[in-house]
Amino acid sequence: SCIPSQLNSVTITLGDTVEVDVDAMAKDLTVDGVLEWNAYHTLEIPTGDLTITGDLDMPNGKIKFSGTLTNQTIDLSGNMVEFFDLEIDLTLDTVKLLNGNILISGTLSPESGVFDYSAAGITINSTSSVSSGRVGPVNINAELLGDATVRRFIPAGAAGTRNLASPVTNATLSDWDDSLLISGLGFPDGCAFGGGSGCYYSVKRYSINNFHD
């Protein structure tokens, strides 16, 4: 039942559960137990680092990094950890993800400073046709470094085929080829359905007002 300040280094020990029930700050935060949100509140880390070896139960809420002239780190102990909202709002500073993978189910907000996840990874989550994570506007003073995975939920339906579109600007079919079986010109993964003269290709070319295999 205490509220830490930007002067306090906080450790949640193994076996303990702490709820974020007000907006709060912590100089450094180490989670060996459980840190949970049951309502939307912001936990701000203005100078130090975030280390998670335990569990983050975050169906809502925000973690905000707001350092000034001091680099900050996120250590996930090699695990994938789900965040809801994550805001990077730094002054001449960098937040570096050392390992693991951040799963964004809300919004990643690059307001200012550098978010470097090149040594690890981030995944923009999608859990239903109406609920998906996203990357908010990247402001002029902000920079993202690294590769991201973008998930898209495909609901069940009666159609035998699906039309897919990439949420990433300038993406190509070659970018998808290592994750999806793609059949058609330049993608020799066989037939999406059938075989021989009845082979159905999943990719078609469009030219002169017609689609072609």
Side-chain angles (χ1 to χ4, degrees), residues 109-186:
S109 299
E111 300 292 340
S112 182
V114 178
F115 182 29
D116 181 1
Y117 45 88
S118 58
I122 64 171
T123 299
I124 309 302
N125 201 18
S126 182
T127 56
S128 76
S129 57
V130 296
S131 177
S132 294
R134 72 185 191 103
V135 178
V138 181
N139 287 342
I140 191 170
N141 294 322
E143 184 177 3
L144 299 176
L145 297 177
D147 294 329
T149 298
V150 179
R151 293 178 176 176
R152 279 298 173 262
F153 179 85
I154 301 176
T161 61
R162 293 285 183 182
N163 294 321
L164 301 179
S166 174
V168 179
T169 302
N170 297 324
T172 67
L173 286 173
S174 296
D175 296 328
W176 287 1
D177 194 33
D178 59 346
S179 301
L180 298 174
L181 292 176
I182 299 177
S183 61
L185 183 64

